[in-house]
Amino acid sequence: MTRALVIGEALIDIVERDGKVTGEHVGGSPLNVAVGLSRLGRGVDFLTHIGDDPRGRRIVDYIKQSGVQLVSGSMTAPRTPTALATLDANGSAQYVFDIDWQLAGTPEVAPPIVAHTGSIAAVLEPGCRATAALLDAYHPSATVTFDPNVRAALIEDADIARGRIERWIERCDVVKASDEDMRWIDPNHSPEQIARTWLDLGPSIVAVTMGDQGAFAMCAAGTVRVQALRVNVVDTVGAGDAFMTGLIDALWSLGVLGAERRPQLARIGVDALTAVVQTAALSSALTVARAGADLPDRATRDAAAAGSGPLLPQPG
């Protein structure tokens, strides 16, 4: 077991401003995680649901160039999903999704050391049920990681979605969420209170990103906090996915992934977790310093970690 399996949506982001399309870009939160792990030198299999059409083939070319292996059966959708992002005068986007999320059968891949999902794939019918079944099937071999990455525009029944997210948290080993996700999931409690509740549901680690306020993570041994990094922000596209990627990669390097290492993951200490979250925050900072979801490769991240890049800790 030396590979990751990522399950989730891949789509084309269509950017529109003043009634005109200004560009189309490959996107999707799970896709970004798959590509990010591959750029860090990890073996990755990616199961998705796209069409055998020009947009789908563009996605295939993109992930193959990144070293990701597309799982057989991923190109059976009637059309490739899209997300129309309409920008206002301030550059803020409103999204309209055109996506059909389905999965069929079991991927023909070796048991992974880590299995990841999140975002649309975890809550959108009918594929969310198949996604949950697959992750349950891989739980005996793999560490299971999850990022809710809420897309409220696609959620018809908020209570049902919140219930599904809670069931995901119960079955996962590592959960990462943004403070924005948490405000949507539970507007009556603070991110710290929600994270503590989630940790009690079963995960070994719950990590929370808070934009320029940094990040924190909880484990049985305690809570760690990491400051944001000072960086010239180009845009925040893919920032959370980069953090999730860095989190998985750092835990992989510690040797605590895989079902047989679940006891070691559960006993992770605050010093080790601090280093893991710092690595994740660095991956995120490098991504926001570049346009689009352009996650760093290992050489770029190692150089930044060694102090040869432009990133500095924010003053306390």
Side-chain angles (χ1 to χ4, degrees):
M1 296 187 296
T2 58
R3 297 177 66 82
L5 173 65
V6 178
I7 303 172
E9 72 274 4
L11 48 78
I12 296 292
D13 288 315
I14 304 170
V15 181
E16 183 180 273
R17 187 192 289 268
D18 298 327
K20 296 180 181 179
V21 173
T22 60
E24 294 193 5
H25 312 281
V26 175
S29 176
L31 176 144
N32 290 336
V33 172
V35 168
L37 285 172
S38 185
R39 288 182 178 178
L40 293 172
R42 304 300 187 182
V44 184
D45 297 305
F46 180 47
L47 176 63
T48 189
H49 188 57
I50 56 177
D52 186 4
D53 53 27
R55 284 173 171 156
R57 289 188 287 273
R58 179 179 175 184
I59 291 171
V60 172
D61 289 343
Y62 175 78
I63 64 173
K64 285 185 175 179
Q65 288 169 7
S66 300
V68 175
Q69 179 65 48
L70 186 68
V71 175
S72 176
S74 291
M75 298 186 73
T76 58
R79 63 186 179 281
T80 294
T82 60
L84 176 62
T86 303
L87 304 181
D88 62 19
N90 298 320
S92 297
Q94 295 292 326
Y95 287 92
V96 176
F97 291 91
D98 178 12
I99 181 169
D100 171 42
W101 175 244
Q102 299 190 46
L103 292 175
T106 302
E108 295 180 1
V109 297
I113 194 171
V114 58
H116 173 78
T117 194
S119 193
I120 295 169
V123 296
L124 187 64
E125 291 276 13
C128 63
R129 298 177 186 273
T131 303
L134 281 176
L135 269 294
D136 285 345
Y138 287 114
H139 190 270
S141 67
T143 298
V144 179
T145 65
F146 172 61
D147 176 5
N149 196 17
V150 175
R151 293 291 180 255
L154 271 174
I155 294 174
E156 295 181 359
D157 190 313
D159 289 337
I160 290 176
R162 291 182 178 110
R164 283 180 175 147
I165 289 169
E166 181 170 312
R167 289 191 292 276
W168 272 110
I169 292 163
E170 292 172 347
R171 58 165 53 95
C172 290
D173 300 294
V174 178
V175 177
K176 171 265 165 189
S178 70
D179 55 350
E180 291 182 355
D181 290 334
M182 289 183 150
R183 281 194 292 272
W184 185 90
I185 293 167
D186 185 352
N188 298 317
H189 294 87
S190 69
E192 289 81 3
Q193 290 171 322
I194 299 168
R196 175 59 60 188
T197 298
W198 287 3
L199 193 69
D200 291 341
L201 292 176
S204 294
I205 296 171
V206 176
V208 181
T209 58
M210 301 182 294
D212 61 5
Q213 299 302 305
F216 71 88
M218 292 184 179
C219 64
T223 300
V224 306
R225 296 182 184 276
V226 171
Q227 292 180 322
L229 294 165
R230 183 184 299 135
V231 61
N232 180 28
V233 177
V234 176
D235 64 47
T236 60
V237 179
D241 303 327
F243 189 97
M244 184 80 250
T245 299
L247 202 65
I248 294 171
D249 175 69
L251 292 170
W252 204 326
S253 294
L254 279 180
V256 294
L257 295 187
E260 75 282 0
R261 300 295 180 90
R262 204 163 265 133
Q264 290 94 318
L265 180 65
R267 293 195 301 269
I268 192 169
V270 291
D271 290 342
L273 184 57
T274 298
V276 166
V277 177
Q278 287 173 333
T279 297
L282 179 57
S283 292
S284 185
L286 290 168
T287 300
V288 303
R290 299 190 285 200
D294 187 7
L295 279 66
D297 59 22
R298 189 167 298 280
T300 300
R301 200 183 68 189
D302 286 352
S308 58
L311 302 176
L312 296 171
Q314 290 279 15

